[in-house]
Structures are given as C-alpha cells and as structure tokens.
Amino acid sequence: MHMPTLRQLQFFDALARTGSFSRAAETCHVTQPTLSAAIKELEALLQVQLVEREARGASLTHAGEEVAARARTVLAETQDLVAAAHEAGKPLSSAFRLGAIPTVAPYVLPKILPKLREAYPDLKLYLREDMTERLLEGVRARELDAALIALPWDAPGIETEPLAEDEFLFIAPKSHPLAAKNGLDPEDLAEADVLLLEDGHCLRDHALSVCSLPTRAKSTEVSATSLQTLVHMVAGGLGVSLVPRLAADAGVTAGTDVSLRPFTHPLIGRTIGLAWRAGSPRKGEARLIGEVVRESLKGGLVPV
Amino acid sequence: MHMPTLRQLQFFDALARTGSFSRAAETCHVTQPTLSAAIKELEALLQVQLVEREARGASLTHAGEEVAARARTVLAETQDLVAAAHEAGKPLSSAFRLGAIPTVAPYVLPKILPKLREAYPDLKLYLREDMTERLLEGVRARELDAALIALPWDAPGIETEPLAEDEFLFIAPKSHPLAAKNGLDPEDLAEADVLLLEDGHCLRDHALSVCSLPTRAKSTEVSATSLQTLVHMVAGGLGVSLVPRLAADAGVTAGTDVSLRPFTHPLIGRTIGLAWRAGSPRKGEARLIGEVVRESLKGGLVPV
DNA sequence: ATGAGGTATAGATTATCTCTATGCATATGC
DNA sequence: GCATATGCATAGAGATAATCTATACCTCAT
C-alpha cells in the first residue's frame, strides 16, 4: 500500500495551521515551491483535493480537514515514539519539562535539583510554576512531561503517583490564645480568623476542607499570594493559618515571630504526588524523577 | 525536531515481525543492504540500539520492542489517514471488505449487489461469510471494513447501526398440529420439537430465547448447518422451527411442502444491523452501504 | 576445515528533494 | 484604470539521499 511521507504530513499540517502556502513553508524552513510541490504530490497520492487555492492564501476542503486531524495524531505519535526510544535508551538524558504548584515548588525543587544533576548529568530540566489546573493542561497538551501537584486530583487522561504525605501545621501569632492551647484540633479553627491563599491554589481548598466550611465563607477580604506572604500576614496579627510541613521544614517561618504547632490527631494534610499524561512516552522518566523527590522528602515528610 | 521516516518504521516493523534482516527486506521488496542501512540510520536517529544482531537473525532489545509497538500504531493510523482521505474524496470507489453472517448473507447480498454496482460503479466489494464473533474479530483487526450482523451485540471497539427488524416466522410440516392452530404464540413452541442451527449461529440463540429455554435444553442431537438445511429437515418431518422473514421472503421454503405462519403478537424477531470498528476511517462508507441495505429491505422487513 | 546462512560495507547508479528564477492570477492602492 | 503587491504554480538545475550490485565478514553446523 502506498503511503504518504511524514514530511508531507508535516508540510500539510503547517499548511492547515497557517492557511497559507508561503507561511507554512516558512515554519517548515523550506521554500514555498518545495511545499507546494509536496502538497500537490500528497493530493495526487490520496486522490483527493485537500486545499482550495484562493487568491489570498488557501483553505481546507472537507477531506483536507479530515486528513489534517489525522495527520496531527500521526505526527504526535511519531514524536512519542522518538521520545519513548530515547527514554528506553538512556533515561533523563535530554530535556525534561517539569511543572510544580506554587506551594510545593520553592520547597521541593531546591532539594531535588542537586540530586538530579548528580544522578542524571545530561538532564536539562525546564521548570514551570503554576496552579494545578494549568499545569495539567500543559501536561495534556504535551507542553510538560510531568507535574508535581497535590493529590487526589481527578483529571481524565492524567495518571498520578503519590510521593509523600505533607502534614498541615497550625500557625498563629505568639500572643494568640490558640498558640498555647493544649491538644490542638481542626475544630478549633472554626472560631478563628483563618487566612487563606488566593483563589486557585489547591492549598486554599485543602485548608477550607480542614475547617469544614464552604469555600467562600472564610476571610474573603484578605488572601495571600504566597505562603511566604501568608506567614507575614499571620506574624502581623491579621489571623491564623495552616502551613504544610514541607514549607515549615524549609524555613518559611524563619525570621518571623510566630507560633508553629502540629495538630494532635488525626494527621491532617495533603498528599504530594506526580502527574503525567496517560500513555506518555516519558512515564518511566517521570517515575525516576518521582523517586528522587520521594527520597528527598524522606527526612521530614511521611513517604507513600 | 528530527523525525524518522515512515519508510524506516515500515522496515523496522517488518524486521520486528520476521526477526531477520533478509526476510524483512524481502517482505518490503528491497534488498537486504538497503534495509540494514535504514535500520542503522533509525538507530542513529533515536540514539538507541533497537536490535541485537545475532548469528542467526536478529532479536529486539527492550527499546526495540517499545519502538516496534509504537511504530505499528503510527503505521496503522497512517493507513487510516489514507483510507479516510479516499473516502472523503469519492466514497466507495475502491476495495471495500464486507462481512455478513450466514443467516443474512444469502438473502441480502443478492439484493444489494446490483444496487451497489449501479450507485458505485468503481466499488470493488469483497465479501466474507462467517459467524458474528469471527466477523467482528476481522473488523477489529482491520481485515474487514464492516459487517452485517444481528443486533444487539456487545463488543468493545465496535460501533453498530440498526437497519431493519426481521420478524421470526413459524415453520412446520403441513401435517403438524401447530400448522393449523389459531393465534400462534411463542409459548406453543415449548411443547414442540424445535430444530435449531448449529452452535455458533446467533440465530440459534435468538430462537432459543424465543422459546424461553436454556441454551442446551432443546434438540441437541440434531442441528442444521444452514437455514436451507433446516427447512428441509422440517419438511422431512423432523420437527418445527423458526425462519426469519428475510429468508422466507427470499424463498427459502420454495419447493418444499411446509407451513409458514407468523406469530400473532408481539412481533418477535431480530434486528439486522451493520457493524464497524470504532474510529474506522471508512465509517461513512459503511453507512452508505447500510443505507443501500435498508433501502433493499424496505419491502418485506420493517426498517429502523 | 568448509560450506551455508545471515549481516555489514563499499561504490555506482538512480531517484527525489530542494533550491532559484520566473510566470500567472487576483486583490489593493493611487 | 493602471500599477503594484501578494501569493501560488511551474521549470530547470543542483544537491541529497535512497537503492542496488558486489563482496567481505562472521557464526554455526557438518
């Protein structure tokens, strides 16, 4: 059976995206006649007209749309093949794009980067800090190879692996009544002024669920943009809050005069985990990175 | 990003299947050095060793297995792309492989073939008669583009469309008591000697469910290999049976001296439908064929 | 040892891909 | 209304890469 060339499909994909022979040729780094000829040949091979040549550029026919969509998946899967081969050959020896949520990134990345550098000297790690939803969008869109997030997080087409339990600690001004109370319980928070992170941070939702309150009930007026800010606000006497042990151990309260105390029991907190696209060719490499993270967090956090 | 060639993937797929450079070269209709060079280049591109060159042929490395699997899906989807383009351009203008179950094929195909020939003169229709399960296996394996079966039939990865309701008629020797009974009801069959088709025919299961009896309870000693045989057995006085209207209208009882009567109510029967692989590029063409079948059956059967 | 089966290498040939240069059609500006 | 700009097609030359034949090399079996 006669088959098109991947090159032809690449050209046609570019043509479909740009809607112009010349611009498509540019993005493919070939001249316009080259691309024109290739498309013509593709049409001859498929025995269908794929594009309408118009005065100003080109538009796809119905068949063209169909072929363009299929071409995209073929190209994507070929890239996956290359990535998978590379992973199988020598894992973590090229570019890897890792995302992390803001309440994890500053406290985990400094720990793992040296270890990764040592274990995988050829690894070029690109980092992106963003909130869970946007990270997972990136993962799905193949812009990220994996993401450090808080589990559980249900998302179709995403696979996850838990790495460590991250306990929530209570934080309050030294003068606050709860700072001295014996046997600290989550229910004690019901009465207090609980400060939260901005909307979109999953830690905000976790904190709210700990307080057993609806999402918008608490302190909507003030919310912090980062854990560091949150600590400063607590230190300034604006209220109390929760801080994950991960951040506390990393010294997020250093230099401030706040009381930091664990809850008695049960252990309340979140699960730090790694997420990747289901069927990703770099799943194995993601797990390797997860292993390094797990190892790095072993000191303070409870591994899973 | 650098990509392999589809040709290279084809070569590698052949190598993976045959386990030999020379035999792979043969199946690809190139010489062995050509294929060897292509594989070498592919390995260089992916920066992984894909095959272990052994004294007697070659075996895949772990990376090779991974790449081979992915190469197969890429190649399959590229073929789908070609088929889809072809369908979009001029539907039913090349080879189409249609399956049909034995209790449908002889009565439907003669009706639709002339119509198809007229409507789609370029169509080259390849036919295969087999039982449902094997047909659907073929559909899944891309050996068949569609299959005429009796619905409902649950199968993962298969999509179906109902075409017509095919009522069951009662058939008995003229002398049989039930041949003259007023108001024929399925329950009347409980007392009778019901003849069935061989195991594997879905019509056998349908008939049994009409009789409201467990699969093996009835006449296990004798079973017919075809509807024609079944009719002859009934004519010979071996028992009674059910015949779909489709076959009756086509004259399956012609030349035999049997009584053929409808049941009073409710209408009992089966649904004739078309099945194709989910995501098949030829889904549209399958539907076109389904339309012809529906049209052809309009006379006697109840269209859906 | 020697031959058979199977893969790698070398060099020549051929096919193809890509480029530059140019022509043609259609819309835009003066 | 004519000139001009934009965008695609075509032609021919040159560079590249694919494929072939011929042959060397290796391993196993007899």
Side-chain angles (χ1 to χ4, degrees), chain A residues 7 30-31 33-34 41 55:
Chain A
R7 197 109 223 277
V30 295
T31 58
T34 297
E41 202 180 337

Side-chain angles (χ1 to χ4, degrees), chain B residues 3-14:
Chain B
M3 278 208 187
T5 301
L6 275 186
R7 198 108 223 274
Q8 292 170 335
L9 297 186
Q10 272 181 312
F11 286 178
F12 182 62
D13 179 43

Side-chain angles (χ1 to χ4, degrees), chain B residues 158-175:
Chain B
I158 299 284
E159 288 179 357
T160 60
E161 184 183 52
L163 297 174
E165 292 294 340
D166 189 16
E167 182 185 6
F168 291 151
L169 302 179
F170 177 73
I171 179 177
K174 280 257 167 70
S175 56

Side-chain angles (χ1 to χ4, degrees), chain B residues 78-98:
Chain B
T78 304
Q79 288 190 345
D80 279 1
L81 178 149
V82 174
H86 213 216
E87 151 168 337
K90 194 180 171 197
L92 295 176
S93 61
S94 62
F96 193 95
R97 298 154 303 172
L98 179 69

Side-chain angles (χ1 to χ4, degrees), chain A residues 38-289:
Chain A
I39 299 296
K40 193 177 177 182
E41 202 180 337
L42 183 62
E43 288 182 318
L45 176 74
L46 300 179
Q47 301 176 45
V48 201
Q49 189 178 348
L50 297 173
V51 296
E52 300 275 2
R53 276 78 166 175
E54 289 158 4
R56 273 199 138 34
S59 68
L60 297 190
T61 63
H62 176 69
E65 296 283 359
E66 179 72 29
V67 170
R70 290 181 182 270
R72 267 190 270 279
T73 82
V74 168
L75 292 170
E77 293 199 336
T78 304
Q79 288 190 345
D80 278 2
L81 179 148
V82 174
H86 212 217
E87 150 169 335
K90 194 180 171 197
L92 294 178
S93 60
S94 61
F96 193 94
R97 299 153 304 173
L98 178 68
I101 55 176
T103 54
V104 164
Y107 315 108
V108 169
L109 298 183
K111 292 188 179 191
I112 64 169
L113 292 186
K115 293 199 182 187
L116 285 174
R117 169 171 243 85
E118 190 190 355
Y120 308 104
D122 295 336
L123 172 63
K124 279 169 270 305
L125 194 63
Y126 293 90
L127 300 169
R128 184 171 132 194
E129 187 179 316
D130 215 324
M131 295 181 202
T132 310
E133 282 166 74
R134 290 214 236 149
L135 288 181
L136 293 186
E137 262 175 51
V139 167
R140 254 191 296 265
R142 299 166 197 252
E143 293 158 7
L144 288 176
D145 297 311
L148 278 169
I149 61 172
L151 305 178
W153 191 284
D154 247 350
I158 299 285
E159 289 179 356
T160 60
E161 185 183 49
L163 298 174
E165 291 295 339
D166 189 16
E167 183 187 3
F168 290 152
L169 303 179
F170 177 74
I171 180 177
K174 280 255 169 72
S175 55
H176 196 279
L178 286 175
K181 181 169 185 291
N182 268 352
L184 208 52
D185 196 276
E187 297 188 3
D188 295 328
L189 294 174
E191 306 300 318
D193 245 352
V194 181
L195 303 177
L196 296 169
L197 284 181
E198 288 184 318
D199 206 33
H201 289 274
C202 59
L203 186 54
R204 175 194 175 93
D205 303 321
H206 286 141
L208 281 169
S209 77
V210 164
C211 305
S212 324
L213 284 176
T215 316
R216 313 223 111 264
K218 282 261 175 188
S219 39
T220 42
E221 332 79 42
V222 279
S223 48
T225 56
S226 75
L227 278 177
Q228 192 66 61
T229 316
L230 192 72
V231 169
H232 284 312
M233 285 166 65
V234 169
L238 296 178
V240 304
S241 191
L242 300 177
V243 171
R245 174 175 287 281
L246 179 65
D249 287 356
V252 75
T253 60
T256 63
D257 194 34
V258 296
S259 160
L260 192 64
R261 304 181 51 202
F263 290 93
T264 46
H265 99 25
L267 183 110
I268 57 171
R270 59 180 183 175
T271 304
I272 307 239
L274 198 62
W276 58 83
R277 174 170 58 87
S280 162
R282 314 201 66 175
K283 170 177 175 168
E285 295 176 294
R287 291 197 120 108
L288 288 177
I289 289 190

